[in-house]
Amino acid sequence: MSDPQVAARLRAAGCVWAEDEAALLEDAAHSVAELERLLARRVAGEPLETVLGWVEFLGRRLVVTPGVFVPRRRTELLARLAGDRADAAPAGGRPVVVEMCCGVAPVAASVEGTDAEVHACDVSATALACARSNAPSAALHRGDLYDALPGHLVGRVAVLAANAPYVPTARVADMPPEARDHEPRVALDGGADGVALHRRLAADAVRWLAPGGALLVETSPAQAGLTTGAMAAAGLATSVETDDEVGGCVAIGVSR
């Protein structure tokens, strides 16, 4: 059972699940002094996950550090769909799976251990350092969207998955302080209507996808029409998958 004083400090700081968080912090600390340091960081508003150094995702712990986007549970839908698509890829060579805007690489981590050739890319060196721990066998690339990918992947990608930012610029200020003040703005801000990067992803996807390959982009139900509209404009056949249990919504565009 956690120390009531630790839970009380967390509750006073606004932590809804104070007792649960207290137990996790106490388990992570190896001394009273370390517990105090962790507790001070959490009370100051830092996300619990970066204080602990990990986030649970599809039953495993992924490494996260200060300054990265923390994967949400809703992204589990994106990861599951990517794995399903990779498993269903036509026989005749290893299917190529790319996680774009990968952050700490939750999708790449979830498809490791399959037959896929896994790549992940991001603009953040800090995020890619976490990705190296989470998806050690994936090929990692740093750069802006498709500029990061090696040319030999053109026309070969079976699954291109992305949790690109989709919060409209004007709404970033309304996000919880844990995200707004501690996660990179570039990982949150999706432009005026939230789908600026989705349009960029869709516009160039056909060049990189193999025949029948799929672009999977996490979005919101309110923005799904904009995301699939960008995919359709690029010549992809579109659909939307949702999972109410995790709150996930993924727009799908398949190369014809």
Side-chain angles (χ1 to χ4, degrees):
M1 182 178 294
S2 62
D3 185 336
Q5 292 184 355
V6 174
R9 288 175 62 183
L10 291 167
R11 193 178 303 106
C15 299
V16 176
W17 308 106
E19 287 76 13
D20 293 338
E21 292 196 14
L24 288 169
L25 292 172
E26 290 170 0
D27 186 61
H30 296 93
S31 67
V32 173
E34 185 178 8
L35 175 59
E36 179 57 35
R37 288 193 294 271
L38 296 178
L39 182 57
R41 289 169 60 187
R42 180 62 182 131
V43 167
E46 185 177 335
L48 175 67
E49 294 82 2
T50 58
V51 173
L52 294 173
W54 57 268
V55 61
E56 185 173 343
F57 187 88
L58 283 178
R60 62 180 292 180
R61 290 184 175 184
L62 301 181
V63 173
V64 292
T65 60
V68 303
F69 178 82
V70 177
R72 276 58 160 173
R73 190 174 178 218
R74 58 179 171 266
T75 303
E76 291 182 355
L77 174 62
L78 179 69
R80 293 199 311 267
L81 291 174
D84 291 345
R85 288 271 175 176
D87 289 342
R94 300 173 66 198
V96 174
V97 176
V98 174
E99 183 177 10
M100 192 73 72
C101 305
C102 71
V104 304
V107 175
S110 73
V111 297
E112 272 203 326
T114 69
D115 190 43
E117 175 186 338
V118 184
H119 296 257
C121 56
D122 201 278
V123 296
S124 168
T126 303
L128 288 174
C130 293
R132 172 53 62 215
S133 296
N134 296 327
S137 66
L140 303 183
H141 314 281
R142 187 180 178 192
D144 180 37
L145 298 187
Y146 296 104
D147 290 344
L149 295 181
H152 67 83
L153 294 183
V154 169
R156 294 184 52 221
V157 180
V159 182
L160 203 164
N163 179 17
Y166 54 93
V167 178
T169 301
R171 297 290 302 277
V172 173
D174 299 328
M175 295 186 71
E178 289 182 353
R180 184 187 67 225
D181 298 337
H182 293 274
E183 294 181 319
R185 176 80 180 221
V186 69
L188 304 174
D189 191 339
D193 61 1
V195 296
L197 270 74
H198 296 186
R199 293 188 181 93
R200 291 180 58 200
L201 285 165
D204 291 334
V206 171
R207 176 170 176 256
W208 294 89
L209 290 175
L215 171 64
L216 312 177
V217 179
E218 181 175 310
T219 188
S220 71
Q223 294 161 301
L226 295 174
T227 305
T228 55
M231 292 176 173
L236 301 173
T238 67
S239 60
V240 176
E241 290 277 353
T242 60
D243 183 336
D244 292 338
E245 182 178 350
V246 299
C249 179
V250 175
I252 302 170
V254 178
S255 178
R256 301 175 190 272

